[in-house]
Coordinates of all heavy atoms in Angstrom, one line a residue:
M190 N 71.8 -116.2 62.0 CA 72.2 -115.2 63.1 C 72.7 -114.0 62.4 O 73.7 -114.0 61.6 CB 73.4 -115.9 63.8 CG 72.9 -117.1 64.6 SD 71.7 -116.7 65.9 CE 71.4 -118.3 66.6
T191 N 71.9 -112.9 62.5 CA 72.4 -111.5 61.9 C 73.0 -110.6 62.9 O 73.6 -109.7 62.5 CB 71.1 -110.9 61.3 OG1 70.1 -110.7 62.4 CG2 70.4 -111.9 60.3
G192 N 72.7 -111.0 64.2 CA 73.3 -110.0 65.2 C 72.3 -109.0 65.6 O 72.5 -108.4 66.6
A193 N 71.3 -109.0 64.8 CA 70.2 -107.9 65.3 C 69.5 -108.5 66.6 O 69.0 -107.6 67.4 CB 69.1 -107.8 64.1
E194 N 69.4 -109.7 66.8 CA 68.6 -110.3 68.0 C 69.5 -110.0 69.1 O 69.1 -109.5 70.3 CB 68.5 -111.7 67.8 CG 67.6 -112.1 66.8 CD 67.4 -113.6 66.7 OE1 67.9 -114.3 67.5 OE2 66.5 -114.1 66.0
D195 N 70.8 -110.1 68.9 CA 71.7 -109.7 70.1 C 71.6 -108.3 70.6 O 71.8 -108.0 71.7 CB 73.1 -110.0 69.7 CG 74.0 -110.5 70.8 OD1 73.6 -111.5 71.5 OD2 75.0 -109.9 71.1
A196 N 71.5 -107.3 69.6 CA 71.5 -106.0 69.9 C 70.2 -105.6 70.7 O 70.3 -104.7 71.6 CB 71.5 -105.1 68.6
G197 N 69.1 -106.5 70.6 CA 67.9 -106.1 71.3 C 67.8 -106.9 72.6 O 66.7 -106.9 73.2
R198 N 68.9 -107.7 72.9 CA 68.6 -108.3 74.1 C 68.9 -107.6 75.3 O 69.5 -106.6 75.4 CB 69.8 -109.4 74.2 CG 69.6 -110.7 73.5 CD 70.9 -111.5 73.4 NE 71.4 -111.9 74.7 CZ 71.4 -113.1 75.1 NH1 70.8 -114.0 74.4 NH2 71.8 -113.5 76.4
S199 N 68.0 -107.8 76.4 CA 67.8 -107.1 77.7 C 68.8 -107.8 78.6 O 69.0 -109.1 78.5 CB 66.4 -107.0 78.1 OG 65.8 -108.2 78.3
R200 N 69.2 -107.2 79.6 CA 70.1 -107.7 80.6 C 69.3 -108.8 81.5 O 69.8 -109.9 81.7 CB 70.5 -106.7 81.6 CG 71.6 -107.2 82.6 CD 72.2 -106.1 83.4 NE 71.0 -105.6 84.2 CZ 71.1 -104.5 85.0 NH1 72.3 -103.9 85.2 NH2 70.0 -104.0 85.6
D201 N 68.0 -108.5 81.8 CA 67.2 -109.4 82.6 C 66.3 -110.3 81.5 O 65.9 -109.9 80.5 CB 66.2 -108.7 83.3 CG 67.0 -108.1 84.5 OD1 67.7 -108.8 85.2 OD2 66.9 -106.9 84.7
A202 N 66.2 -111.5 81.9 CA 65.3 -112.4 81.1 C 63.8 -112.2 81.5 O 63.4 -112.0 82.8 CB 65.6 -113.9 81.4
C203 N 62.9 -112.4 80.6 CA 61.4 -112.3 80.9 C 61.0 -113.4 81.9 O 61.4 -114.5 81.7 CB 60.7 -112.4 79.5 SG 58.9 -112.7 79.8
P204 N 60.4 -113.1 83.0 CA 60.0 -114.2 84.0 C 59.0 -115.1 83.4 O 58.8 -116.1 83.9 CB 59.4 -113.3 85.1 CG 59.4 -111.7 84.8 CD 60.0 -111.8 83.4
V205 N 58.3 -114.7 82.4 CA 57.4 -115.5 81.8 C 57.9 -116.6 80.8 O 57.6 -117.7 80.8 CB 56.2 -114.7 81.1 CG1 55.2 -115.5 80.4 CG2 55.5 -113.7 82.1
C206 N 58.7 -116.0 79.8 CA 59.1 -116.9 78.7 C 60.6 -117.1 78.8 O 61.1 -117.9 78.0 CB 58.7 -116.4 77.3 SG 59.5 -114.8 77.0
G207 N 61.3 -116.3 79.5 CA 62.8 -116.6 79.7 C 63.7 -115.9 78.6 O 64.8 -116.1 78.6
V208 N 63.0 -115.3 77.6 CA 63.8 -114.6 76.6 C 64.3 -113.2 77.1 O 63.5 -112.5 77.7 CB 62.9 -114.5 75.3 CG1 63.6 -113.7 74.3 CG2 62.5 -115.8 74.9
H209 N 65.5 -112.8 76.7 CA 66.1 -111.6 76.9 C 65.4 -110.6 75.9 O 66.2 -110.1 75.0 CB 67.5 -111.6 76.9 CG 68.1 -112.4 78.1 ND1 68.6 -111.8 79.3 CD2 68.0 -113.6 78.3 CE1 69.1 -112.8 79.9 NE2 68.7 -113.9 79.6
A210 N 64.3 -110.3 76.0 CA 63.7 -109.3 75.0 C 62.8 -108.2 75.7 O 61.8 -107.8 75.2 CB 62.9 -110.1 74.0
L211 N 63.3 -107.8 76.9 CA 62.5 -106.9 77.7 C 62.8 -105.5 77.2 O 63.9 -105.1 76.7 CB 62.9 -107.0 79.1 CG 62.5 -108.3 79.7 CD1 63.1 -108.4 81.2 CD2 61.0 -108.6 79.7
H212 N 61.8 -104.5 77.4 CA 62.0 -103.2 77.0 C 61.1 -102.3 77.8 O 60.1 -102.8 78.4 CB 61.7 -102.9 75.5 CG 60.2 -103.2 75.0 ND1 59.8 -104.5 75.1 CD2 59.4 -102.2 74.9 CE1 58.5 -104.4 74.7 NE2 58.1 -103.1 74.7
L213 N 61.5 -101.0 77.9 CA 60.7 -100.0 78.8 C 59.4 -99.6 77.9 O 59.6 -99.5 76.8 CB 61.5 -99.0 79.2 CG 62.6 -99.2 80.3 CD1 63.4 -97.9 80.6 CD2 61.8 -99.5 81.6
L214 N 58.4 -99.5 78.6 CA 57.3 -99.0 77.8 C 57.1 -97.5 78.1 O 56.8 -97.1 79.4 CB 56.0 -99.7 78.4 CG 56.0 -101.3 78.1 CD1 54.8 -101.9 78.8 CD2 56.0 -101.6 76.6
Y215 N 57.3 -96.7 77.3 CA 57.1 -95.3 77.6 C 55.7 -94.9 77.2 O 55.4 -94.9 76.1 CB 58.2 -94.3 76.9 CG 59.6 -94.6 77.5 CD1 60.5 -95.4 76.8 CD2 59.9 -93.9 78.6 CE1 61.8 -95.7 77.4 CE2 61.2 -94.1 79.2 CZ 62.0 -95.1 78.5 OH 63.4 -95.2 78.9
F216 N 55.0 -94.4 78.2 CA 53.5 -94.1 77.9 C 53.6 -92.6 77.1 O 54.4 -91.8 77.4 CB 52.8 -94.1 79.1 CG 52.8 -95.3 79.8 CD1 53.1 -95.5 81.1 CD2 52.3 -96.4 79.1 CE1 52.9 -96.7 81.8 CE2 52.2 -97.6 79.6 CZ 52.6 -97.8 81.0
P217 N 52.7 -92.5 76.3 CA 52.6 -91.3 75.5 C 52.4 -90.0 76.4 O 51.5 -90.2 77.4 CB 51.4 -91.4 74.6 CG 50.7 -92.6 75.1 CD 51.6 -93.4 75.9
D218 N 53.0 -88.9 76.2 CA 52.8 -87.7 77.0 C 51.7 -87.0 76.5 O 51.8 -86.3 75.4 CB 54.2 -87.0 76.9 CG 54.1 -85.7 77.9 OD1 53.0 -85.5 78.5 OD2 55.1 -85.1 78.1
V219 N 50.6 -86.9 77.1 CA 49.4 -86.3 76.7 C 49.6 -84.8 76.8 O 48.7 -83.9 76.4 CB 48.1 -86.8 77.4 CG1 47.9 -88.2 77.2 CG2 48.3 -86.5 79.0
G220 N 50.6 -84.2 77.6 CA 50.8 -82.8 77.8 C 51.3 -82.1 76.6 O 51.2 -81.0 76.4
I221 N 51.9 -82.8 75.7 CA 52.5 -82.3 74.5 C 51.6 -81.9 73.6 O 51.4 -80.8 72.9 CB 53.5 -83.2 73.9 CG1 54.7 -83.5 74.7 CG2 54.0 -82.7 72.5 CD1 55.7 -84.5 74.2
G222 N 50.3 -82.6 73.5 CA 49.3 -82.3 72.4 C 49.6 -82.8 71.1 O 50.5 -83.5 70.8
G223 N 48.7 -82.5 70.1 CA 48.9 -82.8 68.8 C 48.4 -84.3 68.6 O 47.7 -84.9 69.5
V224 N 48.7 -84.8 67.4 CA 48.1 -86.2 67.1 C 49.0 -87.3 67.7 O 50.2 -87.1 67.8 CB 48.3 -86.2 65.5 CG1 47.7 -87.6 65.0 CG2 47.5 -85.2 64.8
R225 N 48.2 -88.1 68.2 CA 48.9 -89.4 68.9 C 48.3 -90.6 68.0 O 47.5 -91.4 68.5 CB 48.5 -89.4 70.3 CG 49.1 -88.3 71.1 CD 48.8 -88.5 72.5 NE 47.5 -88.3 72.9 CZ 46.8 -89.1 73.9 NH1 47.5 -90.0 74.5 NH2 45.6 -89.0 74.1
P226 N 49.0 -90.9 66.9 CA 48.5 -92.1 66.2 C 48.7 -93.3 66.9 O 47.9 -94.4 66.7 CB 49.2 -92.0 64.9 CG 50.6 -91.2 65.3 CD 49.9 -90.2 66.3
M227 N 49.6 -93.4 67.8 CA 49.8 -94.6 68.6 C 48.7 -95.1 69.4 O 48.3 -96.3 69.5 CB 51.0 -94.3 69.6 CG 52.4 -94.7 68.9 SD 52.7 -96.3 68.4 CE 53.0 -97.1 70.0
D228 N 47.8 -94.1 69.9 CA 46.7 -94.4 70.6 C 45.7 -95.2 69.8 O 45.2 -96.1 70.4 CB 46.1 -93.1 71.2 CG 46.9 -92.6 72.4 OD1 47.9 -93.2 72.7 OD2 46.4 -91.7 73.0
E229 N 45.5 -94.7 68.7 CA 44.4 -95.4 67.8 C 45.1 -96.8 67.4 O 44.2 -97.6 67.3 CB 44.3 -94.5 66.5 CG 43.6 -93.2 66.8 CD 43.3 -92.4 65.6 OE1 43.5 -92.9 64.5 OE2 43.0 -91.3 65.8
L230 N 46.4 -96.7 67.2 CA 46.9 -98.0 66.7 C 46.9 -99.3 67.7 O 46.5 -100.3 67.4 CB 48.5 -97.7 66.4 CG 49.2 -98.8 65.5 CD1 48.6 -98.5 64.1 CD2 50.7 -98.5 65.5
V231 N 47.1 -98.8 68.9 CA 47.0 -99.9 70.0 C 45.8 -99.8 71.0 O 45.8 -100.7 71.8 CB 48.4 -100.0 70.8 CG1 49.6 -100.2 69.9 CG2 48.5 -98.6 71.5
G232 N 45.0 -98.8 70.9 CA 43.9 -98.8 71.7 C 44.2 -98.4 73.2 O 43.6 -99.0 74.0
M233 N 45.1 -97.6 73.3 CA 45.6 -97.4 74.8 C 45.2 -96.0 75.3 O 46.0 -95.3 75.8 CB 47.2 -97.7 75.0 CG 47.5 -99.0 74.8 SD 49.2 -99.3 75.0 CE 49.3 -101.0 75.6
G234 N 44.0 -95.6 75.0 CA 43.7 -94.2 75.4 C 43.5 -94.1 76.7 O 43.3 -92.9 77.2
D235 N 43.4 -95.1 77.6 CA 43.1 -94.9 79.0 C 44.4 -94.8 79.9 O 44.3 -95.0 81.1 CB 42.1 -96.0 79.6 CG 42.7 -97.3 79.4 OD1 43.8 -97.5 78.6 OD2 42.4 -98.4 79.9
L236 N 45.5 -94.7 79.3 CA 46.7 -94.6 80.0 C 46.9 -93.3 80.9 O 46.5 -92.3 80.4 CB 48.0 -94.8 79.2 CG 48.2 -96.2 78.5 CD1 49.3 -96.2 77.5 CD2 48.5 -97.2 79.7
K237 N 47.4 -93.4 81.9 CA 47.6 -92.2 82.7 C 48.9 -91.6 82.6 O 50.0 -92.3 82.6 CB 47.5 -92.5 84.3 CG 46.1 -93.1 84.6 CD 46.0 -93.5 86.1 CE 44.5 -94.0 86.4 NZ 44.3 -95.2 85.6
P238 N 49.0 -90.4 82.2 CA 50.2 -89.8 81.8 C 51.3 -89.7 82.9 O 52.5 -89.5 82.8 CB 49.9 -88.4 81.3 CG 48.6 -88.1 82.0 CD 47.9 -89.4 82.2
D239 N 50.8 -89.9 84.3 CA 51.7 -89.7 85.3 C 52.3 -91.0 85.8 O 53.0 -91.1 86.8 CB 51.0 -88.9 86.5 CG 49.8 -89.7 87.0 OD1 49.3 -90.5 86.2 OD2 49.4 -89.4 88.1
Q240 N 51.9 -92.1 85.1 CA 52.5 -93.3 85.4 C 53.9 -93.4 85.0 O 54.2 -92.9 83.8 CB 51.8 -94.5 84.7 CG 50.3 -94.7 85.6 CD 49.6 -95.8 84.9 OE1 49.8 -96.2 83.6 NE2 49.0 -96.8 85.7
P241 N 54.8 -94.1 85.8 CA 56.2 -94.4 85.3 C 56.1 -95.4 84.2 O 55.3 -96.1 84.0 CB 56.9 -94.9 86.5 CG 55.8 -95.5 87.4 CD 54.5 -94.8 87.1
P242 N 57.2 -95.4 83.3 CA 57.2 -96.5 82.3 C 57.2 -97.7 82.9 O 57.7 -98.2 83.8 CB 58.7 -96.2 81.7 CG 59.4 -95.4 82.7 CD 58.4 -94.7 83.6
G243 N 56.6 -98.7 82.1 CA 56.4 -100.0 82.6 C 57.4 -100.9 81.8 O 58.3 -100.4 81.1
I244 N 57.2 -102.2 81.9 CA 58.2 -103.1 81.2 C 57.5 -104.1 80.4 O 56.5 -104.6 80.9 CB 59.0 -103.9 82.2 CG1 59.9 -102.8 83.1 CG2 60.0 -104.9 81.6 CD1 60.8 -103.5 84.1
G245 N 57.8 -104.4 79.2 CA 57.2 -105.2 78.3 C 58.3 -106.2 77.8 O 59.4 -105.9 77.7
C246 N 57.7 -107.5 77.3 CA 58.5 -108.5 76.7 C 58.0 -108.6 75.2 O 56.9 -108.7 75.0 CB 58.3 -109.7 77.4 SG 59.1 -111.1 76.6
T247 N 59.0 -108.3 74.3 CA 58.6 -108.3 73.0 C 58.6 -109.8 72.3 O 58.1 -109.9 71.3 CB 59.7 -107.7 72.0 OG1 61.0 -108.2 72.4 CG2 59.9 -106.1 72.4
A248 N 58.9 -110.7 73.2 CA 58.9 -112.1 72.7 C 57.5 -112.8 72.9 O 57.0 -113.3 72.1 CB 60.0 -112.9 73.4
C249 N 57.0 -112.6 74.2 CA 55.7 -113.2 74.4 C 54.6 -112.1 74.7 O 53.5 -112.5 74.9 CB 55.8 -114.1 75.7 SG 56.2 -113.2 77.2
G250 N 54.9 -110.9 74.8 CA 53.9 -109.8 74.9 C 53.4 -109.5 76.2 O 52.6 -108.7 76.5
S251 N 54.1 -110.1 77.3 CA 53.6 -109.9 78.6 C 54.1 -108.3 79.0 O 55.1 -107.9 78.4 CB 54.6 -110.7 79.6 OG 54.0 -112.1 79.3
E252 N 53.4 -107.8 79.8 CA 53.7 -106.4 80.3 C 53.6 -106.1 81.8 O 52.6 -106.9 82.3 CB 52.8 -105.4 79.5 CG 53.0 -105.3 78.1 CD 52.2 -104.4 77.4 OE1 51.4 -103.6 78.1 OE2 52.3 -104.1 76.2
W253 N 54.4 -105.4 82.2 CA 54.3 -105.1 83.9 C 54.2 -103.6 84.0 O 54.7 -102.9 83.2 CB 55.4 -105.6 84.6 CG 55.6 -107.0 84.5 CD1 55.1 -108.0 85.4 CD2 56.3 -107.9 83.5 NE1 55.3 -109.2 84.9 CE2 56.0 -109.3 83.8 CE3 56.8 -107.6 82.3 CZ2 56.5 -110.2 83.0 CZ3 57.2 -108.6 81.5 CH2 57.1 -109.9 81.9
E254 N 53.3 -103.2 84.9 CA 53.0 -101.7 85.0 C 54.2 -100.9 85.5 O 54.2 -99.7 85.2 CB 51.8 -101.6 86.0 CG 50.5 -101.9 85.2 CD 49.3 -101.6 86.2 OE1 49.4 -101.0 87.2 OE2 48.2 -102.2 85.9
S255 N 55.0 -101.5 86.2 CA 56.1 -100.9 86.9 C 57.4 -101.8 87.0 O 57.1 -103.1 87.1 CB 55.7 -100.2 88.1 OG 55.5 -101.2 89.1
L256 N 58.5 -101.2 87.5 CA 59.6 -102.1 87.7 C 59.4 -102.9 89.0 O 59.8 -104.1 89.0 CB 60.9 -101.1 87.9 CG 62.2 -101.9 88.2 CD1 62.6 -102.8 87.1 CD2 63.2 -100.9 88.5
E257 N 58.6 -102.3 89.8 CA 58.2 -103.0 91.1 C 57.5 -104.3 90.8 O 57.8 -105.5 91.2 CB 57.4 -102.2 92.0 CG 57.5 -102.5 93.4 CD 57.0 -101.4 94.3 OE1 57.5 -100.3 94.3 OE2 55.9 -101.7 94.9
D258 N 56.4 -104.2 89.9 CA 55.6 -105.3 89.4 C 56.5 -106.3 88.8 O 56.4 -107.6 88.9 CB 54.6 -104.9 88.4 CG 53.4 -104.3 89.2 OD1 53.4 -104.3 90.4 OD2 52.5 -103.9 88.5
F259 N 57.4 -105.9 88.0 CA 58.3 -106.7 87.2 C 59.1 -107.7 88.2 O 59.4 -108.8 88.0 CB 59.1 -106.1 86.1 CG 60.3 -106.9 85.5 CD1 59.8 -107.9 84.5 CD2 61.6 -106.6 85.9 CE1 60.8 -108.6 84.0 CE2 62.5 -107.5 85.2 CZ 62.2 -108.4 84.3
R260 N 59.8 -106.9 89.0 CA 60.6 -107.5 90.1 C 59.8 -108.6 90.9 O 60.4 -109.8 91.2 CB 61.3 -106.5 91.1 CG 62.2 -105.6 90.4 CD 63.4 -106.4 89.8 NE 64.3 -105.5 89.1 CZ 65.3 -105.9 88.2 NH1 65.4 -107.1 87.8 NH2 66.2 -105.1 87.7
A261 N 58.6 -108.3 91.3 CA 57.8 -109.2 91.9 C 57.6 -110.4 91.2 O 57.7 -111.6 91.7 CB 56.4 -108.5 92.3
A262 N 57.3 -110.4 89.9 CA 57.1 -111.3 88.9 C 58.4 -112.3 88.9 O 58.4 -113.5 88.8 CB 56.7 -110.9 87.5
Q263 N 59.5 -111.7 88.8 CA 60.8 -112.2 88.8 C 60.9 -113.2 90.1 O 61.4 -114.5 90.0 CB 62.0 -111.5 88.8 CG 62.3 -110.9 87.3 CD 63.5 -110.0 87.3 OE1 63.8 -109.3 88.3 NE2 64.3 -110.3 86.3
R264 N 60.7 -112.5 91.2 CA 60.7 -113.3 92.5 C 59.8 -114.5 92.5 O 60.1 -115.6 93.1 CB 60.5 -112.3 93.7 CG 61.7 -111.4 93.9 CD 61.5 -110.6 95.3 NE 60.3 -109.9 95.4 CZ 60.4 -108.5 95.1 NH1 61.3 -108.1 94.6 NH2 59.1 -107.9 95.1
A265 N 58.6 -114.3 92.0 CA 57.6 -115.4 92.1 C 58.0 -116.4 91.2 O 57.9 -117.6 91.5 CB 56.2 -114.8 91.5
E266 N 58.6 -116.1 90.1 CA 59.1 -117.2 89.2 C 60.2 -118.0 89.7 O 60.2 -119.2 89.6 CB 59.4 -116.6 87.8 CG 60.0 -117.5 86.8 CD 58.9 -118.5 86.3 OE1 57.8 -118.1 86.4 OE2 59.3 -119.5 85.9
G267 N 61.3 -117.2 90.4 CA 62.3 -118.0 91.0 C 61.9 -118.9 92.1 O 62.5 -119.8 92.5
G268 N 60.9 -118.5 92.8 CA 60.4 -119.2 93.9 C 59.7 -120.5 93.7 O 59.5 -121.3 94.5
K269 N 59.2 -120.6 92.3 CA 58.5 -121.8 92.0 C 59.5 -122.9 91.7 O 59.0 -124.1 91.9 CB 57.8 -121.6 90.7 CG 56.5 -120.8 90.9 CD 55.6 -120.8 89.8 CE 56.2 -120.2 88.5 NZ 55.2 -120.2 87.4
H270 N 60.7 -122.7 91.6 CA 61.6 -123.8 91.2 C 62.5 -124.3 92.4 O 62.7 -123.5 93.2 CB 62.6 -123.4 90.1 CG 61.8 -123.1 88.8 ND1 61.1 -123.9 88.1 CD2 61.6 -121.9 88.1 CE1 60.4 -123.3 87.0 NE2 60.8 -122.1 87.2
Ligands
ZN200 ZN1 58.4 -112.9 77.6

């Protein structure tokens, strides 16, 4: 236990794996121009710049396109039990 994990905890738990490791996905702003090494790194060249930030889980790699999608996943998960 180093405390580093605690600092990275999110308030909400991931609906998929239950770990508090959610973070906002900020899409690259193509309007700024210049080099975007991240695109080559992750191969996300088809992202739309006008999309709002999505939500991702660093523990299991799940991603949601928007907060709305994420909340829907939470409700779906809660309804199963
Ligand atoms: Zn997860």
Side-chain angles (χ1 to χ4, degrees):
M190 295 298 177
T191 61
E194 289 180 3
D195 208 54
R198 278 169 62 110
S199 54
R200 190 180 54 182
D201 289 309
C203 170
V205 176
C206 68
V208 175
H209 290 251
L211 299 170
H212 64 283
L213 285 177
L214 303 172
Y215 291 102
F216 298 126
D218 186 353
V219 297
I221 293 175
V224 180
R225 290 186 294 141
M227 276 294 286
D228 282 6
E229 294 182 6
L230 203 65
V231 297
M233 288 179 158
D235 59 342
L236 289 173
K237 297 176 180 63
D239 59 342
Q240 283 186 323
I244 295 176
C246 173
T247 55
C249 68
S251 295
E252 291 183 2
W253 297 266
E254 286 186 11
S255 66
L256 182 61
E257 205 169 297
D258 280 359
F259 173 71
R260 293 303 183 193
Q263 279 188 317
R264 284 194 296 270
E266 179 65 19
K269 281 198 300 189
H270 301 292

